[in-house]
Amino acid sequence: MQALELYDILTLEDDKEYTIAAMTTYKDSEYLYLIEVDKEENPIATNQKIVRRVINDGEDSVEIVTNKEEINEVSKIFFEVFRNMVKEEKED
Amino acid sequence: MAEIKSLNEQIDLFRKKVREHQQKVINNEIQVSNVKDLQVFFEGLIILTNVYYNIDKQLTKKQRQVVKEKLERELSYIKISNQLRSGLTEYHKTKLFDEKEWEDFCTIIRYQNLEYSLGQKVDIATWNQYESIALKVLAAESRMMKRIHLSVSNFDINRGEKGKRENYELNLNTFLKMDLFGQIEYLEKLIENIEKRKDTKAEIVVGGLSKEISCEYAYNYQYYTALLDNLYLKREEEFEKIKKEQKIDEEPLPDIKVEDAEEYVYFSEEKDKIENQLMRLVANAFEAPKEETVEVKLFTSNMEENIKISRKDISSYEILFEKYKMLLQSGKEQIEKLRQYGIDPFKKSDKEIENVKNDILKKIAFLQQNKNGNLAIDACIQEKVIEYCKLSKQENFRFMASFIHFFKKQGFSNEDAKALAKLAYDPEVFAKNKNIPNEKKEKVLSKLFSTIAQKETIKKEEPIEEIQENEDFQIDWKAVNRMSFKEEYEYFGTLAAKISKYSEKYPNNQIHVEFEGHMYPVNEKNKAQFEKCREEAKRVWNEWRGGLKKEHPEVNNPEGIIKKALKKIKKQEERMPESDKKYISKIKKIRKPKNKKVLQGKLKKTILQIVVVLSFTACLFVGALSQRNTQETSIKTGKRLEELAKEDDDSLKLADELGDLLAKNFMAQKVSNEQNVIVGQLEVDQVQELIDNGYSVDEDAKIYENYYDAYNDVNAKTAYFSNESYRDVTEVVYKCDGSLVHLRVDDPDFEAQRTALENNGYELDSVRGRNENGTGNGYEGYFNIEDVDVFNTQIGGR
């Protein structure tokens, strides 16, 4: 799998572009918090996804997290990541 | 012993009757309509046979032989008569022969009698008579067979119904009159019949000779062809023995002159004669001028073919022969593969053929070396063609059967496999086909060989056993739709086996199967379903091929059973809980942002909103995005987030204003201030506004997706505020300077009270309603502004 960085822009099968707002690792899997961006790279806040990186048919893919336990745990982690980001911003 | 004596008497009586009938037939004394009598004889024969079998165990070997010999002639007569009668009955849709047919019938019977006489005691006079009638008989047979239109599907393979031993009688006359494909299909049917009964012993009867076979070996053509070859050889040996004993010199074969376009009739059972004559024909063709072609019409009992031969054509055989050798090699490889599966296609008789083939190949090699030596080039080619003919005939349908199997395994359809096998089996015939230009012939052959070579290469590169992690399990439905049921079953069988192997090797990887453009996961639940459907398919297939149900409706269903199974899986998938579904998207492209810092800045606001949204509505966003959400998750996560917020000493004010704000501006409703329940979907701008105003979430706040859930949770009641429910207004609320007054609409003084309030500056604030489906007590609750309209409609607003 290709290495990804924060704010990289991914085009998914719905032909929409998403930026990586946050990344985390949980139980050996890589999770991304994706926010859709328009052509000018403005975030479209109404379209966000928490996904897990997977290999599907030998291709780099993302799977939307749907498992109850998993989404609960990953949401907490992302919340903390975002809170820290906000906090750091305020401190600056 | 009395029984045996009785049997002998019955046999003699039967024979007498049959022969009288036979003689009348030959002498044209029996009229056409009397052919029905044959049926009577046939029934008599069945009775006699039953008697015979009943006392079979009591007979000594010699006695058994005597009975058999006694009956053989009659048996043969009855059988052929009955066969022709039933065949022609089918043809005419009546029980009558016409005059010509009757003549043909008599000729055949007469010939059979002569043949039988030769078998008993051969004398020159009988032999000459036999020879002279032979051509007539074959012509008659040919005509008869053409009328009857025998096809494989019409053949019934005789099988004993009772007892442990099963008898499979191969009708030699019929069998030899079939083309190779017919013979293969006939054998296939025979094999399948025997295969079904693996627990029994079977006996195959060919040309009056029988051989016991073990059913467990009844799995390939090779075994049967070897078996049949042995029986043929035995039969031929016996015939040769009789001939030698009588010292009958073989009649010299007639010379075939190239100038003559003659008609020749060949007796299909005398294969050597045909081959020799063909070879002479080909050899003589070399004597013709280069541009001249010779047309020869060939007849056999079931074949009619015009062959044009010229030197030009023959010169191309050399190329074809090289290719033929390549095909032989491919065939050998295929046989090797069969061996890998534990099937040994070569029996003793095959080894003999191998030796003949080797001799021929050696001879060809010798001729090749002498190409520029003593022998003229044309003579070399001529010899090669002759040897080629021999080789080709030696291969017989064993080769054909192997190739049909081979091409099927290569992924060709049943029909294509047959066509290709025909071509591969006899490129000579293909080369002689005057309707196909030589260039086209070369192209077809090249394509065929390149296809085989390509497929072989692919196979070597991608061995089936090796399963890759990124294995593709997509089903080629286009190909599946073209497949026969058997092929389809095998295709899915292989697929299922591969999936099983894959699951073992990569237990953590999810397998998907494509169906109607969607990828469906093969999980534990529907894997079992898949297997169940495969089992069902297997059952139907077994029924079908076993001949129990010749026209099984599902067999001819183009969709096939497996496709139906996948439809079931699709339905099952649709019923699956959301949490079990998988949503996977490929990453089509990855790129860096145009300006990372700018994007980071733009995201700040969104992330801030996310924090708030997560704080307030917990998983609402996430849930909506991930296509699943539950109240429980929302509440739990919300509480957890609130705890985190508390730790940061954020000001905690869940105020009525928040509810009001939500109610006023969004599709949300504050249901109960006391219980701090907030209902509705937040929009990010609004959340931002709330944050800017210092709002936060109360620790007891509950968050819902819709106000119906919220209401029910608060009131611990069943659904009340549903769109469908009809609401009766029961109470109205008036408000003035923060004070509320409730009026019951069923109060007799309602109108008076209402008027008084309105006159004193009170305004209608809200209404309460009752569900008409309530149990009499009804459930009451606040209505929003829409319900005031309901009130106005029902009660009459001012």
Side-chain angles (χ1 to χ4, degrees), chain B residues 631-642:
Chain B
Q631 185 179 312
E632 191 187 356
T633 312
S634 301
I635 294 164
K636 273 187 187 172
T637 315
K639 281 185 177 175
R640 171 68 184 142
L641 297 178
E642 288 148 23

Side-chain angles (χ1 to χ4, degrees), chain B residues 548-566:
Chain B
L548 296 177
K549 287 186 182 178
K550 283 180 183 174
E551 290 184 4
H552 201 292
E554 283 163 303
V555 170
N556 296 319
N557 185 340
E559 283 194 341
I561 284 178
I562 303 291
K563 204 167 176 181
K564 279 184 183 172
L566 278 169

Side-chain angles (χ1 to χ4, degrees), chain B residues 44-107:
Chain B
L45 181 76
I46 291 169
I47 296 164
L48 201 62
T49 311
N50 287 338
V51 175
Y52 170 75
Y53 277 120
N54 285 340
I55 61 160
D56 187 22
K57 285 177 186 174
Q58 298 171 30
L59 296 174
T60 62
K61 195 179 173 185
K62 198 177 175 183
Q63 283 170 333
R64 197 178 289 118
Q65 189 61 28
V66 169
V67 172
K68 200 176 170 186
E69 278 174 13
K70 271 189 174 181
L71 279 175
E72 194 175 287
R73 185 182 180 188
E74 281 67 35
L75 206 139
S76 168
Y77 171 70
I78 295 296
K79 275 188 181 175
I80 191 167
S81 305
N82 199 56
Q83 187 190 335
L84 291 171
R85 187 191 61 78
S86 59
L88 287 170
T89 301
E90 182 61 30
Y91 170 67
H92 285 298
K93 305 290 180 197
T94 166
K95 292 182 178 179
L96 304 181
F97 288 178
D98 65 30
E99 202 177 325
K100 182 69 182 165
E101 286 161 358
W102 185 250
E103 196 182 314
D104 284 341
F105 176 65
C106 293
T107 310

Side-chain angles (χ1 to χ4, degrees), chain A residues 2 4-15 17 19-21 32-33 35 37-43 45-50 52-68 71-72 75-76 78-80 82-83 85-87 89-90, chain B residues 469-474 509-510 512 519 578-596 599-600 602-604 606-612 614-615 619 621-623 625-628 630 632-633 636-637 640-641 644-645 647-648 650 684:
Chain A
Q2 190 179 331
L4 295 174
E5 287 180 16
L6 213 56
Y7 310 121
D8 276 356
I9 293 175
L10 316 178
T11 308
L12 301 186
E13 279 182 0
D14 58 6
D15 286 326
E17 287 190 320
T19 188
I20 303 171
L32 310 174
Y33 197 103
I35 298 173
V37 290
D38 62 16
K39 284 179 184 174
E40 283 73 41
E41 295 184 354
N42 294 314
T46 52
N47 192 3
Q48 305 173 26
K49 296 175 191 297
I50 292 177
R52 190 191 329 105
R53 288 190 75 186
V54 290
I55 292 290
N56 187 46
D57 289 342
E59 291 187 58
D60 206 350
S61 309
V62 291
E63 182 178 347
I64 296 170
V65 179
T66 56
N67 180 276
K68 202 173 172 179
I71 202 164
N72 216 347
S75 296
K76 284 177 198 170
F78 275 124
F79 178 72
E80 285 196 68
F82 288 140
R83 269 181 63 248
M85 286 166 100
V86 174
K87 239 173 132 183
E89 184 67 22
K90 279 180 182 174
Chain B
E469 188 171 5
N470 56 356
E471 189 77 34
D472 185 10
F473 290 107
Q474 282 201 358
N509 284 15
Q510 178 68 56
H512 287 77
M519 298 299 286
E578 287 287 330
S579 56
D580 288 350
K581 287 191 179 179
K582 302 280 180 189
Y583 300 92
I584 295 176
S585 171
K586 284 174 189 167
I587 300 174
K588 289 168 81 173
K589 193 179 162 188
I590 303 170
R591 68 172 175 86
K592 297 290 174 193
K594 289 168 194 166
N595 190 321
K596 194 173 173 179
L599 178 60
Q600 198 176 353
K602 287 175 179 174
L603 282 169
K604 273 177 196 168
T606 312
I607 289 168
L608 185 64
Q609 290 166 349
I610 292 165
V611 173
V612 175
L614 286 172
S615 298
C619 289
F621 268 116
V622 177
L625 292 166
S626 63
Q627 302 187 27
R628 70 169 294 278
T630 66
E632 191 187 356
T633 312
K636 273 187 187 172
T637 315
R640 171 68 184 142
L641 297 178
L644 290 165
E647 286 168 11
D648 276 4
D650 286 342
V684 286

Side-chain angles (χ1 to χ4, degrees), chain B residues 111-122:
Chain B
Y111 182 79
Q112 284 228 333
N113 280 339
L114 286 167
E115 196 173 36
Y116 181 76
S117 302
L118 282 170
Q120 297 298 307
K121 187 184 176 185
V122 179

